[in-house]
Amino acid sequence: MEQETNRVEAFSDGVFAIVITILVLELKVPEEQGSALWHGLWEQWPHYAAYLVSFLIIGVMWVNHHTIFSHLKRVDRPLLFLNLLVLMVVSVIPYTTNILAEHLMDGDSANVAAILYSAWTVVYALAFLAFWWYVTKVGHLFHEAVDKDGARATRVRFGLGAVAYPLTVILSFFSAPLTLVAHFLIALYYAANQIPIPLVVEEERLDSGSDLRK
């Protein structure tokens, strides 16, 4: 079963790696020549900004995904499908990133692009929350060292993205650049404030084992 868990995580890591690689492939080489190349490079700053934000978002999701799997000893069929849902949502991020980068400074279309980008962040926040909710609900997928009740208590904090990202959708109606900044700040928050999965204190596990032997 642990080998099966490793297989699922390896497959997921491959998808995350491909998606992040696709992000950089969306950065185009400017057509300008000579000293005008500097201008061409500067004109692409929306692509650089969108790339940075999306890379950070995907990176944080990968870190959280890896952290969860490092605490699992087995997987089951529902978890496999929920994991596929998370990967499906993540794989769309380069598409929404490219649309936002292309239209970030295009007036009315910028708001449409920002709304699409922000709405999709809501989707993957909900997908990841469903993934974590199922893991903590069933409990039997965790290693014995995991404090299952403590893990369930992290649901609310884990689901803050499902509250923060809808606010970026509202912001998208007013300013696409500010929306991108908001996503950057949210990603920084999650990068700096990883949600720890609590473990059972060693003495408590020893006492529990002693009680079972009586």
Side-chain angles (χ1 to χ4, degrees):
M1 295 301 294
E2 290 183 356
Q3 290 179 344
E4 187 69 18
T5 302
N6 293 336
R7 182 183 177 189
V8 175
E9 186 176 10
F11 173 76
S12 303
D13 287 347
V15 174
F16 275 105
I18 292 172
V19 171
I20 278 185
T21 302
I22 292 175
L23 276 179
V24 74
L25 294 179
E26 296 297 336
L27 299 178
K28 307 300 182 183
V29 177
E31 297 180 356
E32 288 82 358
Q33 300 292 328
S35 60
L37 181 59
W38 288 111
H39 177 73
L41 291 170
W42 170 250
E43 286 295 311
Q44 292 197 25
W45 74 263
H47 289 269
Y48 307 144
Y51 165 79
L52 174 63
V53 174
S54 292
F55 187 96
L56 185 57
I57 289 173
I58 296 173
V60 171
M61 290 183 69
W62 173 77
V63 170
N64 283 332
H65 187 274
H66 171 72
T67 300
I68 291 174
F69 266 88
S70 66
H71 290 76
L72 300 182
K73 68 176 181 180
R74 63 172 62 92
V75 294
D76 59 10
R77 190 175 179 84
L79 185 66
L80 290 177
F81 282 108
L82 286 171
N83 189 64
L84 284 175
L85 175 62
V86 170
L87 297 180
M88 181 195 73
V89 174
V90 170
S91 65
V92 180
I93 295 178
Y95 172 70
T96 58
T97 301
N98 193 39
I99 291 179
L100 180 60
E102 288 285 346
H103 299 278
L104 188 61
M105 304 302 294
D106 288 346
D108 292 337
S109 62
N111 297 107
V112 175
I115 291 170
L116 173 65
Y117 186 88
S118 297
W120 198 249
T121 62
V122 176
V123 174
Y124 62 69
L126 292 175
F128 211 87
L129 179 60
F131 178 86
W132 179 238
W133 192 277
Y134 177 77
V135 170
T136 55
K137 178 178 182 296
V138 294
H140 66 276
L141 304 177
F142 280 123
H143 283 292
E144 290 79 3
V146 175
D147 180 356
K148 298 177 179 60
D149 291 332
R152 293 187 184 99
T154 66
R155 288 173 174 176
V156 175
R157 185 180 170 194
F158 205 93
L160 287 178
V163 177
Y165 288 126
L167 296 178
T168 65
V169 176
I170 298 175
L171 182 60
S172 299
F173 284 91
F174 302 97
S175 174
L178 285 180
T179 300
L180 190 60
V181 172
H183 283 290
F184 178 70
L185 294 176
I186 293 173
L188 279 183
Y189 169 79
Y190 276 113
N193 295 274
Q194 293 298 312
I195 301 174
I197 299 177
L199 302 179
V200 177
V201 178
E202 183 67 24
E203 289 76 6
E204 292 180 354
R205 292 199 291 119
L206 291 174
D207 291 343
S208 177
S210 176
D211 292 340
L212 290 175
R213 289 191 293 269
K214 291 180 180 179

